Amino acid sequence: MLKPGYTSLDPEWLAALRDRIATEAPGVDLWISFDSAGHLALHKLVVPRTLRNQGIGTRVMRLLIAEADRQGVTATLSPSSEFGATSVHRLRRFYRRFGFSVNGGRVKDYTTAHSMIRRPSA
């Protein structure tokens, strides 16, 4: 049986990434998976209120992006206020700092339903 947040599509390196994030950013509620299109999908990233504004979310995103680049995979996500964020606009700005852009218009990637996407850096 798979742990919550895991899928049968997850490559081995994803478990190691989850473990590293859990060690380096304890208390963070994270759900990442590998989807059928081969994307690293960030579904949930919640830093507890008492730990916010200490760079923990930035640290987690740097770890995620570094591994996505190392593995040569596209990362996807959809900013949402569902998990307690007060501003989706602020979340979008945060994710743009890590190279994410809106997945829409002439460059839309139809292999994902997520609203933001980041291609791996060379």
Side-chain angles (χ1 to χ4, degrees), residues 84-110:
T86 56
S87 169
V88 172
H89 177 71
R90 199 175 83 217
L91 284 174
R92 283 191 194 110
R93 269 196 336 254
F94 174 74
Y95 292 125
R96 281 189 186 110
R97 288 179 26 210
F98 303 98
F100 282 87
S101 60
V102 173
N103 184 30
R106 298 174 80 188
V107 295
K108 179 160 178 65
D109 182 337
Y110 288 96

PDB file of all heavy atoms in Angstrom, residues 84-110:
ATOM      1  N   GLY A  84      -5.164  27.770   3.361  1.00  0.00           N
ATOM      2  CA  GLY A  84      -4.939  28.832   4.321  1.00  0.00           C
ATOM      3  C   GLY A  84      -4.201  30.055   3.809  1.00  0.00           C
ATOM      4  O   GLY A  84      -4.007  31.009   4.552  1.00  0.00           O
ATOM      5  N   ALA A  85      -3.777  30.047   2.554  1.00  0.00           N
ATOM      6  CA  ALA A  85      -3.113  31.239   2.006  1.00  0.00           C
ATOM      7  C   ALA A  85      -4.114  32.387   1.946  1.00  0.00           C
ATOM      8  O   ALA A  85      -5.298  32.182   1.707  1.00  0.00           O
ATOM      9  CB  ALA A  85      -2.567  30.952   0.621  1.00  0.00           C
ATOM     10  N   THR A  86      -3.631  33.585   2.176  1.00  0.00           N
ATOM     11  CA  THR A  86      -4.525  34.743   2.166  1.00  0.00           C
ATOM     12  C   THR A  86      -4.584  35.420   0.815  1.00  0.00           C
ATOM     13  O   THR A  86      -5.475  36.223   0.568  1.00  0.00           O
ATOM     14  CB  THR A  86      -4.075  35.765   3.227  1.00  0.00           C
ATOM     15  OG1 THR A  86      -2.713  36.117   2.975  1.00  0.00           O
ATOM     16  CG2 THR A  86      -4.206  35.180   4.628  1.00  0.00           C
ATOM     17  N   SER A  87      -3.637  35.108  -0.085  1.00  0.00           N
ATOM     18  CA  SER A  87      -3.604  35.772  -1.383  1.00  0.00           C
ATOM     19  C   SER A  87      -3.010  34.860  -2.448  1.00  0.00           C
ATOM     20  O   SER A  87      -1.828  34.532  -2.404  1.00  0.00           O
ATOM     21  CB  SER A  87      -2.765  37.053  -1.286  1.00  0.00           C
ATOM     22  OG  SER A  87      -2.516  37.575  -2.573  1.00  0.00           O
ATOM     23  N   VAL A  88      -3.839  34.476  -3.410  1.00  0.00           N
ATOM     24  CA  VAL A  88      -3.361  33.670  -4.534  1.00  0.00           C
ATOM     25  C   VAL A  88      -2.388  34.504  -5.368  1.00  0.00           C
ATOM     26  O   VAL A  88      -1.391  33.975  -5.877  1.00  0.00           O
ATOM     27  CB  VAL A  88      -4.537  33.144  -5.378  1.00  0.00           C
ATOM     28  CG1 VAL A  88      -4.045  32.465  -6.647  1.00  0.00           C
ATOM     29  CG2 VAL A  88      -5.386  32.177  -4.563  1.00  0.00           C
ATOM     30  N   HIS A  89      -2.637  35.791  -5.474  1.00  0.00           N
ATOM     31  CA  HIS A  89      -1.737  36.680  -6.215  1.00  0.00           C
ATOM     32  C   HIS A  89      -0.333  36.647  -5.591  1.00  0.00           C
ATOM     33  O   HIS A  89       0.672  36.549  -6.299  1.00  0.00           O
ATOM     34  CB  HIS A  89      -2.286  38.106  -6.226  1.00  0.00           C
ATOM     35  CG  HIS A  89      -1.397  39.093  -6.904  1.00  0.00           C
ATOM     36  ND1 HIS A  89      -1.210  39.108  -8.265  1.00  0.00           N
ATOM     37  CD2 HIS A  89      -0.619  40.081  -6.399  1.00  0.00           C
ATOM     38  CE1 HIS A  89      -0.354  40.065  -8.575  1.00  0.00           C
ATOM     39  NE2 HIS A  89       0.012  40.672  -7.464  1.00  0.00           N
ATOM     40  N   ARG A  90      -0.270  36.692  -4.270  1.00  0.00           N
ATOM     41  CA  ARG A  90       1.027  36.633  -3.587  1.00  0.00           C
ATOM     42  C   ARG A  90       1.712  35.279  -3.809  1.00  0.00           C
ATOM     43  O   ARG A  90       2.918  35.201  -3.991  1.00  0.00           O
ATOM     44  CB  ARG A  90       0.839  36.913  -2.099  1.00  0.00           C
ATOM     45  CG  ARG A  90       2.151  37.310  -1.435  1.00  0.00           C
ATOM     46  CD  ARG A  90       1.958  37.712   0.003  1.00  0.00           C
ATOM     47  NE  ARG A  90       1.941  36.478   0.780  1.00  0.00           N
ATOM     48  CZ  ARG A  90       1.180  36.248   1.827  1.00  0.00           C
ATOM     49  NH1 ARG A  90       0.362  37.163   2.271  1.00  0.00           N
ATOM     50  NH2 ARG A  90       1.219  35.110   2.465  1.00  0.00           N
ATOM     51  N   LEU A  91       0.930  34.214  -3.819  1.00  0.00           N
ATOM     52  CA  LEU A  91       1.481  32.889  -4.097  1.00  0.00           C
ATOM     53  C   LEU A  91       2.071  32.828  -5.508  1.00  0.00           C
ATOM     54  O   LEU A  91       3.154  32.282  -5.714  1.00  0.00           O
ATOM     55  CB  LEU A  91       0.417  31.804  -3.942  1.00  0.00           C
ATOM     56  CG  LEU A  91       0.033  31.406  -2.530  1.00  0.00           C
ATOM     57  CD1 LEU A  91      -1.140  30.431  -2.561  1.00  0.00           C
ATOM     58  CD2 LEU A  91       1.211  30.803  -1.795  1.00  0.00           C
ATOM     59  N   ARG A  92       1.351  33.374  -6.472  1.00  0.00           N
ATOM     60  CA  ARG A  92       1.864  33.392  -7.851  1.00  0.00           C
ATOM     61  C   ARG A  92       3.200  34.128  -7.922  1.00  0.00           C
ATOM     62  O   ARG A  92       4.130  33.677  -8.590  1.00  0.00           O
ATOM     63  CB  ARG A  92       0.855  34.035  -8.796  1.00  0.00           C
ATOM     64  CG  ARG A  92      -0.280  33.148  -9.154  1.00  0.00           C
ATOM     65  CD  ARG A  92      -1.112  33.737 -10.293  1.00  0.00           C
ATOM     66  NE  ARG A  92      -2.367  33.033 -10.378  1.00  0.00           N
ATOM     67  CZ  ARG A  92      -3.546  33.540 -10.068  1.00  0.00           C
ATOM     68  NH1 ARG A  92      -3.646  34.806  -9.706  1.00  0.00           N
ATOM     69  NH2 ARG A  92      -4.639  32.812 -10.168  1.00  0.00           N
ATOM     70  N   ARG A  93       3.296  35.262  -7.249  1.00  0.00           N
ATOM     71  CA  ARG A  93       4.562  36.007  -7.208  1.00  0.00           C
ATOM     72  C   ARG A  93       5.668  35.158  -6.592  1.00  0.00           C
ATOM     73  O   ARG A  93       6.795  35.139  -7.079  1.00  0.00           O
ATOM     74  CB  ARG A  93       4.401  37.302  -6.405  1.00  0.00           C
ATOM     75  CG  ARG A  93       4.019  38.489  -7.223  1.00  0.00           C
ATOM     76  CD  ARG A  93       4.243  39.822  -6.500  1.00  0.00           C
ATOM     77  NE  ARG A  93       4.243  39.773  -5.058  1.00  0.00           N
ATOM     78  CZ  ARG A  93       3.266  40.209  -4.267  1.00  0.00           C
ATOM     79  NH1 ARG A  93       2.200  40.754  -4.788  1.00  0.00           N
ATOM     80  NH2 ARG A  93       3.362  40.133  -2.961  1.00  0.00           N
ATOM     81  N   PHE A  94       5.341  34.470  -5.513  1.00  0.00           N
ATOM     82  CA  PHE A  94       6.308  33.601  -4.845  1.00  0.00           C
ATOM     83  C   PHE A  94       6.817  32.530  -5.815  1.00  0.00           C
ATOM     84  O   PHE A  94       8.019  32.334  -5.967  1.00  0.00           O
ATOM     85  CB  PHE A  94       5.654  32.961  -3.613  1.00  0.00           C
ATOM     86  CG  PHE A  94       6.513  31.939  -2.919  1.00  0.00           C
ATOM     87  CD1 PHE A  94       7.600  32.324  -2.149  1.00  0.00           C
ATOM     88  CD2 PHE A  94       6.224  30.589  -3.017  1.00  0.00           C
ATOM     89  CE1 PHE A  94       8.392  31.376  -1.498  1.00  0.00           C
ATOM     90  CE2 PHE A  94       6.998  29.644  -2.372  1.00  0.00           C
ATOM     91  CZ  PHE A  94       8.084  30.040  -1.611  1.00  0.00           C
ATOM     92  N   TYR A  95       5.916  31.852  -6.498  1.00  0.00           N
ATOM     93  CA  TYR A  95       6.320  30.779  -7.410  1.00  0.00           C
ATOM     94  C   TYR A  95       7.056  31.300  -8.638  1.00  0.00           C
ATOM     95  O   TYR A  95       7.935  30.627  -9.165  1.00  0.00           O
ATOM     96  CB  TYR A  95       5.115  29.931  -7.807  1.00  0.00           C
ATOM     97  CG  TYR A  95       4.554  29.136  -6.643  1.00  0.00           C
ATOM     98  CD1 TYR A  95       3.216  29.237  -6.282  1.00  0.00           C
ATOM     99  CD2 TYR A  95       5.374  28.301  -5.885  1.00  0.00           C
ATOM    100  CE1 TYR A  95       2.711  28.522  -5.209  1.00  0.00           C
ATOM    101  CE2 TYR A  95       4.872  27.585  -4.806  1.00  0.00           C
ATOM    102  CZ  TYR A  95       3.537  27.697  -4.482  1.00  0.00           C
ATOM    103  OH  TYR A  95       3.046  26.995  -3.417  1.00  0.00           O
ATOM    104  N   ARG A  96       6.742  32.489  -9.070  1.00  0.00           N
ATOM    105  CA  ARG A  96       7.476  33.091 -10.202  1.00  0.00           C
ATOM    106  C   ARG A  96       8.952  33.275  -9.869  1.00  0.00           C
ATOM    107  O   ARG A  96       9.809  33.189 -10.744  1.00  0.00           O
ATOM    108  CB  ARG A  96       6.853  34.424 -10.600  1.00  0.00           C
ATOM    109  CG  ARG A  96       5.622  34.273 -11.444  1.00  0.00           C
ATOM    110  CD  ARG A  96       5.158  35.628 -12.000  1.00  0.00           C
ATOM    111  NE  ARG A  96       3.907  35.467 -12.693  1.00  0.00           N
ATOM    112  CZ  ARG A  96       2.739  35.934 -12.270  1.00  0.00           C
ATOM    113  NH1 ARG A  96       2.667  36.642 -11.156  1.00  0.00           N
ATOM    114  NH2 ARG A  96       1.643  35.723 -12.960  1.00  0.00           N
ATOM    115  N   ARG A  97       9.251  33.513  -8.600  1.00  0.00           N
ATOM    116  CA  ARG A  97      10.654  33.658  -8.179  1.00  0.00           C
ATOM    117  C   ARG A  97      11.469  32.405  -8.486  1.00  0.00           C
ATOM    118  O   ARG A  97      12.690  32.459  -8.583  1.00  0.00           O
ATOM    119  CB  ARG A  97      10.733  33.938  -6.672  1.00  0.00           C
ATOM    120  CG  ARG A  97      10.281  35.315  -6.289  1.00  0.00           C
ATOM    121  CD  ARG A  97      10.334  35.587  -4.789  1.00  0.00           C
ATOM    122  NE  ARG A  97      11.290  34.816  -4.031  1.00  0.00           N
ATOM    123  CZ  ARG A  97      11.130  34.465  -2.758  1.00  0.00           C
ATOM    124  NH1 ARG A  97      10.048  34.808  -2.097  1.00  0.00           N
ATOM    125  NH2 ARG A  97      12.062  33.782  -2.133  1.00  0.00           N
ATOM    126  N   PHE A  98      10.797  31.278  -8.628  1.00  0.00           N
ATOM    127  CA  PHE A  98      11.481  30.010  -8.885  1.00  0.00           C
ATOM    128  C   PHE A  98      11.343  29.559 -10.335  1.00  0.00           C
ATOM    129  O   PHE A  98      11.632  28.413 -10.663  1.00  0.00           O
ATOM    130  CB  PHE A  98      10.944  28.934  -7.926  1.00  0.00           C
ATOM    131  CG  PHE A  98      11.096  29.338  -6.498  1.00  0.00           C
ATOM    132  CD1 PHE A  98      10.031  29.888  -5.803  1.00  0.00           C
ATOM    133  CD2 PHE A  98      12.323  29.245  -5.861  1.00  0.00           C
ATOM    134  CE1 PHE A  98      10.168  30.311  -4.500  1.00  0.00           C
ATOM    135  CE2 PHE A  98      12.473  29.673  -4.550  1.00  0.00           C
ATOM    136  CZ  PHE A  98      11.399  30.208  -3.869  1.00  0.00           C
ATOM    137  N   GLY A  99      10.919  30.482 -11.186  1.00  0.00           N
ATOM    138  CA  GLY A  99      10.866  30.189 -12.611  1.00  0.00           C
ATOM    139  C   GLY A  99       9.534  29.686 -13.131  1.00  0.00           C
ATOM    140  O   GLY A  99       9.423  29.328 -14.310  1.00  0.00           O
ATOM    141  N   PHE A 100       8.517  29.635 -12.296  1.00  0.00           N
ATOM    142  CA  PHE A 100       7.202  29.205 -12.762  1.00  0.00           C
ATOM    143  C   PHE A 100       6.543  30.325 -13.563  1.00  0.00           C
ATOM    144  O   PHE A 100       6.741  31.503 -13.268  1.00  0.00           O
ATOM    145  CB  PHE A 100       6.300  28.832 -11.579  1.00  0.00           C
ATOM    146  CG  PHE A 100       6.600  27.485 -10.993  1.00  0.00           C
ATOM    147  CD1 PHE A 100       7.563  27.352 -10.008  1.00  0.00           C
ATOM    148  CD2 PHE A 100       5.940  26.353 -11.436  1.00  0.00           C
ATOM    149  CE1 PHE A 100       7.856  26.116  -9.466  1.00  0.00           C
ATOM    150  CE2 PHE A 100       6.230  25.109 -10.908  1.00  0.00           C
ATOM    151  CZ  PHE A 100       7.193  24.992  -9.917  1.00  0.00           C
ATOM    152  N   SER A 101       5.775  29.940 -14.546  1.00  0.00           N
ATOM    153  CA  SER A 101       5.001  30.908 -15.327  1.00  0.00           C
ATOM    154  C   SER A 101       3.592  30.368 -15.495  1.00  0.00           C
ATOM    155  O   SER A 101       3.335  29.174 -15.290  1.00  0.00           O
ATOM    156  CB  SER A 101       5.653  31.161 -16.687  1.00  0.00           C
ATOM    157  OG  SER A 101       5.735  29.957 -17.413  1.00  0.00           O
ATOM    158  N   VAL A 102       2.683  31.252 -15.885  1.00  0.00           N
ATOM    159  CA  VAL A 102       1.295  30.854 -16.083  1.00  0.00           C
ATOM    160  C   VAL A 102       1.230  29.876 -17.246  1.00  0.00           C
ATOM    161  O   VAL A 102       1.830  30.089 -18.299  1.00  0.00           O
ATOM    162  CB  VAL A 102       0.408  32.091 -16.340  1.00  0.00           C
ATOM    163  CG1 VAL A 102      -1.001  31.677 -16.718  1.00  0.00           C
ATOM    164  CG2 VAL A 102       0.391  32.983 -15.108  1.00  0.00           C
ATOM    165  N   ASN A 103       0.516  28.800 -17.053  1.00  0.00           N
ATOM    166  CA  ASN A 103       0.337  27.787 -18.087  1.00  0.00           C
ATOM    167  C   ASN A 103      -0.935  28.134 -18.866  1.00  0.00           C
ATOM    168  O   ASN A 103      -2.023  27.694 -18.522  1.00  0.00           O
ATOM    169  CB  ASN A 103       0.223  26.393 -17.452  1.00  0.00           C
ATOM    170  CG  ASN A 103       0.127  25.303 -18.493  1.00  0.00           C
ATOM    171  OD1 ASN A 103       0.660  25.439 -19.581  1.00  0.00           O
ATOM    172  ND2 ASN A 103      -0.536  24.218 -18.149  1.00  0.00           N
ATOM    173  N   GLY A 104      -0.769  28.959 -19.882  1.00  0.00           N
ATOM    174  CA  GLY A 104      -1.930  29.385 -20.651  1.00  0.00           C
ATOM    175  C   GLY A 104      -1.528  30.090 -21.924  1.00  0.00           C
ATOM    176  O   GLY A 104      -0.342  30.249 -22.221  1.00  0.00           O
ATOM    177  N   GLY A 105      -2.539  30.487 -22.650  1.00  0.00           N
ATOM    178  CA  GLY A 105      -2.295  31.219 -23.892  1.00  0.00           C
ATOM    179  C   GLY A 105      -1.643  30.363 -24.957  1.00  0.00           C
ATOM    180  O   GLY A 105      -1.858  29.158 -25.027  1.00  0.00           O
ATOM    181  N   ARG A 106      -0.804  30.984 -25.748  1.00  0.00           N
ATOM    182  CA  ARG A 106      -0.171  30.299 -26.873  1.00  0.00           C
ATOM    183  C   ARG A 106       0.844  29.251 -26.460  1.00  0.00           C
ATOM    184  O   ARG A 106       1.205  28.389 -27.247  1.00  0.00           O
ATOM    185  CB  ARG A 106       0.496  31.335 -27.778  1.00  0.00           C
ATOM    186  CG  ARG A 106      -0.520  32.302 -28.374  1.00  0.00           C
ATOM    187  CD  ARG A 106       0.142  33.392 -29.138  1.00  0.00           C
ATOM    188  NE  ARG A 106       0.494  32.868 -30.458  1.00  0.00           N
ATOM    189  CZ  ARG A 106       1.217  33.511 -31.333  1.00  0.00           C
ATOM    190  NH1 ARG A 106       1.707  34.697 -31.038  1.00  0.00           N
ATOM    191  NH2 ARG A 106       1.480  32.987 -32.503  1.00  0.00           N
ATOM    192  N   VAL A 107       1.314  29.320 -25.215  1.00  0.00           N
ATOM    193  CA  VAL A 107       2.328  28.365 -24.757  1.00  0.00           C
ATOM    194  C   VAL A 107       1.752  27.331 -23.774  1.00  0.00           C
ATOM    195  O   VAL A 107       2.507  26.644 -23.098  1.00  0.00           O
ATOM    196  CB  VAL A 107       3.524  29.097 -24.106  1.00  0.00           C
ATOM    197  CG1 VAL A 107       4.263  29.941 -25.122  1.00  0.00           C
ATOM    198  CG2 VAL A 107       3.063  29.934 -22.928  1.00  0.00           C
ATOM    199  N   LYS A 108       0.446  27.205 -23.713  1.00  0.00           N
ATOM    200  CA  LYS A 108      -0.185  26.284 -22.765  1.00  0.00           C
ATOM    201  C   LYS A 108       0.267  24.856 -23.021  1.00  0.00           C
ATOM    202  O   LYS A 108       0.324  24.389 -24.142  1.00  0.00           O
ATOM    203  CB  LYS A 108      -1.704  26.347 -22.862  1.00  0.00           C
ATOM    204  CG  LYS A 108      -2.370  25.381 -21.887  1.00  0.00           C
ATOM    205  CD  LYS A 108      -3.790  25.749 -21.610  1.00  0.00           C
ATOM    206  CE  LYS A 108      -4.475  24.791 -20.683  1.00  0.00           C
ATOM    207  NZ  LYS A 108      -3.955  24.740 -19.344  1.00  0.00           N
ATOM    208  N   ASP A 109       0.599  24.174 -21.920  1.00  0.00           N
ATOM    209  CA  ASP A 109       0.933  22.755 -21.966  1.00  0.00           C
ATOM    210  C   ASP A 109      -0.335  21.992 -21.586  1.00  0.00           C
ATOM    211  O   ASP A 109      -0.731  21.982 -20.420  1.00  0.00           O
ATOM    212  CB  ASP A 109       2.068  22.458 -20.988  1.00  0.00           C
ATOM    213  CG  ASP A 109       2.510  21.014 -21.010  1.00  0.00           C
ATOM    214  OD1 ASP A 109       1.710  20.136 -21.422  1.00  0.00           O
ATOM    215  OD2 ASP A 109       3.642  20.737 -20.598  1.00  0.00           O
ATOM    216  N   TYR A 110      -0.955  21.358 -22.567  1.00  0.00           N
ATOM    217  CA  TYR A 110      -2.220  20.670 -22.333  1.00  0.00           C
ATOM    218  C   TYR A 110      -2.049  19.303 -21.670  1.00  0.00           C
ATOM    219  O   TYR A 110      -3.030  18.621 -21.408  1.00  0.00           O
ATOM    220  CB  TYR A 110      -2.995  20.528 -23.645  1.00  0.00           C
ATOM    221  CG  TYR A 110      -3.549  21.847 -24.120  1.00  0.00           C
ATOM    222  CD1 TYR A 110      -2.860  22.619 -25.055  1.00  0.00           C
ATOM    223  CD2 TYR A 110      -4.743  22.339 -23.615  1.00  0.00           C
ATOM    224  CE1 TYR A 110      -3.358  23.846 -25.472  1.00  0.00           C
ATOM    225  CE2 TYR A 110      -5.247  23.563 -24.025  1.00  0.00           C
ATOM    226  CZ  TYR A 110      -4.551  24.307 -24.955  1.00  0.00           C
ATOM    227  OH  TYR A 110      -5.047  25.518 -25.363  1.00  0.00           O
TER     228      TYR A 110
END
